[in-house]
Amino acid sequence: MQTQFTRDAGVEVPLLCGAMYPCGNPELVAAVSEAGALGVVQPISFAYVHSGSLATGLAKVRELTQKPIAFNAIVEKASKKYERVMRGWIEEALDADIRFFVTALGNPREVVRLVHAAGGVVYHDVTERRFAQKARDEGVDGLIAVNRRAGGHAGQRSAKELFDELRDLELPIVCAGGVGDEDGYVDMLQLGYAGVQMGTRFIATPECKVHADYRQLIVDSEEDDIVLTKRLSGLDVAVIRRGSPQEMEAGEPGALLSWLLRQPKTKHIARTLLALQSLRALKRSSRAAVSQHGYKDVYQAGKSVSGIHAIEPAADIVKRFQAAADRAS
Ligand SMILES: Cc1cc2nc3c(=O)[nH]c(=O)nc-3n(C[C@H](O)[C@H](O)[C@H](O)COP(=O)(O)O)c2cc1C
C-alpha cells in the first residue's frame, strides 16, 4: 500500500517505529526498517543510553540494514548547549544520508531549512491545529498527529478528532497513539491517515533492549493501567501504573509549579525546575529500562497496550500489519 508518507520516506509499509527515549536502540530501528517500515533514531537514546555516541549507533544500524531510517529532532529551546548539540547531530544524520526527519516540541524552522537544502523531508509532531498551522507555515512536509492514547508525551484529542481538525491543511498526516494491533492500524488508514507511528507495540519485541519485566508488563497491561503524569517533564507523559514508583504516579506537580506551567512566560522555567526535580528519578528510569538486573522503576507505555498480547520480532509485526493493510486496500 502506497501513501504520500511511503513516497516521502521511500519505504514499502506506511508504518513507523517512533523515536523512544530511553528505549529506542539501534537493533530495533534497523529491524523495523529492514522489514520495510521506517525506524526512527532517537539521538539521545543512541548517544547516552545504548551506543556511547550517535555515530556508533548509526554505524550499528548500517551494519544491519541499508534501507531508509529517520531521525528525531526534539527542537525545544532547552539551553544553548542543547541547541548546539542537536544541530551537530542533525548535520551528522544528514551526512549519514538520513533524509526523513521527525521534529517535536518546538519550532521546526531551522530543521526544515537544513533538511530541505539536502533534499529531505520533515514531519512535525502536533497535538492540535494551531501547532500544525504554525508548522505548515514553517514549511514542514507532513504532520505526526499525537493523540490522547499515545505513549510518550500524549495529546488531548482522539485520533478521529485530530484527523478531522487537521485534514484541510493539505499535508500527509501520520497517526501516533493507541494502535497496537492490525485492526486498529487498518482503521486509522481507512480514516485517511497516510501512516501510523507506533511506539509501545515495538517495545514488546526481542530487538528492543529493555528489561524482560518491562516487555511482559506491556503484554499484561490493560488500558486502565496507563496513567498520565506531569512529574517527569512538565507535560503529560503516559506510564504504566503498576511499574511506576509512588512519586511518578498520575497527578499534578504541586500548586505553584502547576500555575507556573500554565503561564506562557514561566512555563519554560517551570519545566526546567521539574526536570531538575525529577532528574534522579529520570536517571533511574533510563537505567530501569535498559538494566539487566530486574530494577523496576518508571515504565512508559501508551493505551495501545490493550492490543498487544505477545512479545514478537519487529519484522513479524511489520509483515503482519503490511498484510492487513494490503487486504483492506
Ligand atoms: C517509552 C517511549 C518513549 C518515547 N520517546 C519519544 C521521544 O523521545 N521523541 C518522540 O518524538 N516521541 C517519543 N515517544 C512517542 C513515540 O515516538 C510514538 O509517537 C508513540 O509511542 C505512539 O503511541 P503508542 O505508544 O501508543 O504506539 C515515546 C514513546 C514511548 C512509549
Side-chain angles (χ1 to χ4, degrees), residues 51-327:
S51 305
S53 74
L54 176 62
T56 317
L58 292 177
K60 178 79 204 166
V61 175
R62 284 301 173 221
E63 277 170 28
L64 300 169
T65 187
Q66 292 303 315
K67 295 200 177 166
I69 57 173
F71 180 92
N72 177 224
I74 295 180
V75 286
E76 188 172 32
K77 292 201 172 309
S79 70
K80 287 280 167 224
K81 181 173 177 210
Y82 174 80
E83 284 171 47
R84 233 185 2 262
V85 170
M86 183 52 79
R87 163 82 186 232
W89 281 340
I90 291 167
E91 285 168 358
E92 227 177 299
L94 287 168
D95 287 347
D97 283 337
I98 297 177
R99 291 293 179 270
F100 193 102
F101 284 68
V102 176
T103 46
L105 292 179
N107 189 325
R109 181 188 308 143
E110 185 59 9
V111 182
V112 168
R113 193 181 66 74
L114 291 168
V115 173
H116 281 179
V121 296
V122 179
Y123 277 43
H124 188 64
D125 267 14
V126 295
T127 53
E128 54 184 278
R129 186 180 170 87
R130 68 193 163 109
F131 300 130
Q133 274 172 320
K134 275 193 198 162
R136 188 193 55 178
D137 295 346
E138 298 297 354
V140 302
D141 307 279
L143 301 169
I144 306 226
V146 182
N147 63 56
R148 64 176 174 227
R149 287 166 54 83
H153 285 124
Q156 300 89 36
R157 315 266 199 273
S158 72
K160 171 144 189 359
E161 283 163 356
L162 201 45
F163 184 76
D164 288 343
E165 195 173 299
L166 304 176
R167 63 191 311 166
D168 70 332
L169 294 177
E170 293 183 351
L171 289 173
I173 312 171
V174 168
C175 167
V179 175
D181 59 21
E182 300 101 294
D183 288 350
Y185 179 58
V186 168
D187 284 351
M188 291 306 116
L189 294 176
Q190 288 182 338
L191 199 57
Y193 279 109
V196 172
Q197 171 163 284
M198 299 197 299
T200 306
R201 171 60 277 195
F202 284 114
I203 299 173
T205 59
E207 292 88 353
C208 188
K209 303 285 177 216
V210 294
H211 191 274
D213 290 355
Y214 187 0
R215 289 191 203 106
Q216 196 54 45
L217 205 48
I218 286 177
V219 172
D220 295 342
S221 293
E222 291 303 331
E223 244 181 92
D224 293 348
D225 297 318
I226 305 303
V227 292
L228 295 176
T229 179
K230 285 195 170 57
R231 290 177 183 238
L232 282 171
S233 67
L235 302 170
D236 278 330
V237 174
V239 299
I240 306 178
R241 186 191 281 130
R242 281 186 291 168
S244 306
Q246 200 62 30
E247 76 262 28
M248 286 298 165
E249 290 224 338
E252 297 295 320
L256 177 61
L257 270 174
S258 296
W259 183 82
L260 289 172
L261 276 169
R262 284 196 300 272
Q263 314 307 312
K265 287 198 174 135
T266 52
K267 69 180 181 191
H268 291 290
I269 299 170
R271 283 188 202 163
T272 307
L273 285 173
L274 266 169
L276 289 172
Q277 209 179 62
S278 64
L279 195 61
R280 273 187 54 221
L282 207 56
K283 279 185 179 161
R284 284 207 310 273
S285 84
S286 332
R287 274 206 299 277
V290 294
S291 157
Q292 299 301 309
H293 305 296
Y295 185 84
K296 270 202 199 159
D297 220 308
V298 179
Y299 290 155
Q300 295 183 57
K303 286 186 179 287
S304 51
V305 289
S306 62
I308 303 172
H309 307 297
I311 295 161
E312 292 171 274
D316 291 5
I317 298 169
V318 173
K319 296 294 174 200
R320 200 153 45 74
F321 278 53
Q322 179 177 27
D326 287 346
R327 274 196 306 276

